[in-house]
Amino acid sequence: MGVKDLVVFDVIDSTNDWALEQCRYGDGLPRACLAEKQLKGRGRNQRNWYSPSAQNIYMSFVREFDREAGQLSGLSLVIGICIVRVLGRLGVKSGLKWPNDVYTDSGKIAGVLVETRFKTGSNPCVVVGVGLNYSMELDQGSEIDIDWTDILRELDGQCAYDRSEVAGQLLNEIVMACEQFETVGLNVFIEEWKKYDLCAGKVLNVHDRDSVIQGEYMGINEQGALMLNVAGKSQVFYAADVSIRMKQ
Ligand code: BTN
């Protein structure tokens, strides 16, 4: 199906906000947008996504899915896989921290924010937002309160593809993976996700609203939910609820 329309903004509040607006109309989808800079870039769990001008990739892709709401939960994991694949082709080795944070050994390089709108009588409309650091000045990234990295730094300043080319590869990968996900679901992606799983064998602190739950990571289930062994009992967490820290 591809995209019917790709819009590029110099400045926008948030590409995800733009894409959510497109859900209202439905026709003309799938669409995608890119921005050089976001003024109100949004991350998961109400965090900001720092989005300085002309250095990184800020992209949103929006389409309807012929799937029930409950069958969409694994999509955000699939998008993480898309990013790891693209980075791998550039020569950047990365992995996934559940559900879809993309890390290299030096820090976080990309994040995914999937948002869904439901309308009675229509298929769910899904916005896939990706922020991928391409080349950010060290002092510009000083606002970010976790370890972070970018493509150029990982490749010692030499990337075979410029930012637009990487954005194009990423969009293609996401479009194709969404088509496959719509047809066959998460199942076919699970083995690949496991290969990139950075939590394997770790003890995790799961931040669920006001509480912190510590447990042994038991992998993901067939819906892509996180399974934790907490004092001998299995607990399942869904992407919307939690952020995790790996225990040192
Ligand atoms: C996260 O790791 O917290 C998710 C970050 C997602 C950021 C992207 S940048 C493009 C799109 N527009 C937004 O406002 N957020 C997403």
Side-chain angles (χ1 to χ4, degrees), residues 6-189:
L6 171 65
V7 186
V8 182
F9 294 97
D10 268 345
V11 184
I12 196 165
D13 278 350
S14 152
T15 56
N16 261 37
D17 289 350
W18 176 89
L20 285 168
E21 273 287 298
Q22 312 309 307
C23 287
R24 286 215 219 161
Y25 310 110
D27 59 340
L29 299 181
R31 301 186 85 187
C33 84
L34 289 158
E36 291 287 5
K37 171 181 175 151
Q38 297 185 116
L39 299 172
K40 294 181 185 161
R42 296 188 286 110
R44 289 177 40 241
N45 302 318
Q46 280 80 51
R47 283 192 290 265
N48 297 326
W49 188 258
Y50 181 58
S51 309
S53 184
Q55 293 171 39
N56 300 323
I57 293 168
Y58 317 115
M59 175 196 288
S60 296
F61 170 60
V62 52
R63 59 162 286 174
E64 291 182 348
F65 275 83
D66 190 6
R67 291 204 135 231
E68 284 170 22
Q71 298 176 319
L72 285 171
S73 60
L75 178 63
S76 81
L77 280 73
V78 173
I79 306 305
I81 291 176
C82 293
I83 301 170
V84 174
R85 284 180 185 167
V86 169
L87 287 172
R89 273 183 235 130
L90 305 179
V92 176
K93 187 174 178 311
S94 63
L96 294 167
K97 192 176 90 173
W98 186 90
N100 50 33
D101 287 335
V102 187
Y103 276 77
T104 72
D105 286 344
S106 321
K108 183 162 169 172
I109 192 164
V112 178
L113 179 64
V114 174
E115 300 182 285
T116 308
R117 290 287 179 268
F118 302 98
K119 276 195 289 186
T120 32
S122 306
N123 286 327
C125 183
V126 180
V127 168
V128 172
V130 177
L132 171 58
N133 298 338
Y134 185 84
S135 159
M136 192 152 45
E137 300 297 329
L138 276 181
D139 57 335
Q140 288 203 293
S142 61
E143 282 194 22
I144 304 173
D145 60 1
I146 54 168
D147 287 339
W148 61 270
T149 187
D150 59 44
I151 290 174
L152 281 192
R153 187 153 13 131
E154 292 297 316
L155 297 173
D156 294 328
Q158 301 284 335
C159 181
Y161 302 94
D162 68 22
R163 194 163 51 100
S164 307
E165 288 167 331
V166 176
Q169 291 185 25
L170 184 62
L171 181 58
N172 273 338
E173 196 70 43
I174 290 173
V175 167
M176 287 187 301
C178 284
E179 282 170 16
Q180 197 181 5
F181 179 84
E182 180 174 52
T183 324
V184 293
L186 183 64
N187 238 343
V188 293
F189 294 95

